[in-house]
Amino acid sequence: MPEADLEQPAVDAEDGKLVTLARAARARVGAVEGAAVRDQDGRTYTGVTVRLPSLTIAALQLAVASAVAAGGTRLEAAAVVTEASTLDDLGRAAVRDLGMGAPIHVASPAGQVLATVRD
């Protein structure tokens, strides 16, 4: 992640729930990444990284797709739990499609928020 995109992590209780949901989704299937998003109505959706011979999708992309499939039109916040040192560009773009300026919290597998991206 470019350093200019990072802010000091400050996570409120609602966004902290997203981190917890993302951790749980990742752990449940042993995925590389887990993600969660919250839509305009406060509903939450999770996703994990999927890698199949015919389909590859980032955790944030899947969480956003789930929100859209359920009628979500705007995202308030997102979280991704990952061991990677960068935020996946495709996942970031998917969140931005519905949530320009919404915080994307990047957390370690232990649940520690390492950075927040708001671009």
Side-chain angles (χ1 to χ4, degrees), residues 6-97:
L6 301 179
E7 6 177 287
Q8 183 67 24
V11 181
D12 65 22
E14 289 301 309
D15 290 359
K17 290 177 189 176
L18 291 177
V19 174
T20 299
L21 289 169
R23 284 185 72 209
R26 179 180 181 268
R28 187 171 40 254
V29 297
V32 173
E33 290 185 339
V37 298
R38 185 176 61 252
D39 74 7
Q40 74 280 354
D41 296 322
R43 297 174 297 188
T44 56
Y45 308 89
T46 62
V48 296
T49 303
V50 175
R51 289 198 176 112
L52 300 172
S54 63
L55 174 69
T56 300
I57 189 165
L60 274 171
Q61 287 178 302
L62 185 54
V64 171
S66 295
V68 170
T73 58
R74 186 173 47 82
L75 295 180
E76 293 180 347
V80 62
V81 173
T82 182
E83 291 182 16
S85 60
T86 60
L87 180 58
D88 174 77
D89 288 337
L90 294 175
R92 182 183 200 163
V95 171
R96 292 296 166 245
D97 286 344

Side-chain angles (χ1 to χ4, degrees), residues 86-118:
T86 60
L87 180 58
D88 174 77
D89 288 337
L90 294 175
R92 182 183 200 163
V95 171
R96 292 296 166 245
D97 286 344
L98 296 182
M100 190 55 84
I104 304 172
H105 303 291
V106 181
S108 71
Q112 177 186 9
V113 176
L114 304 172
T116 298
V117 178
R118 290 188 186 266

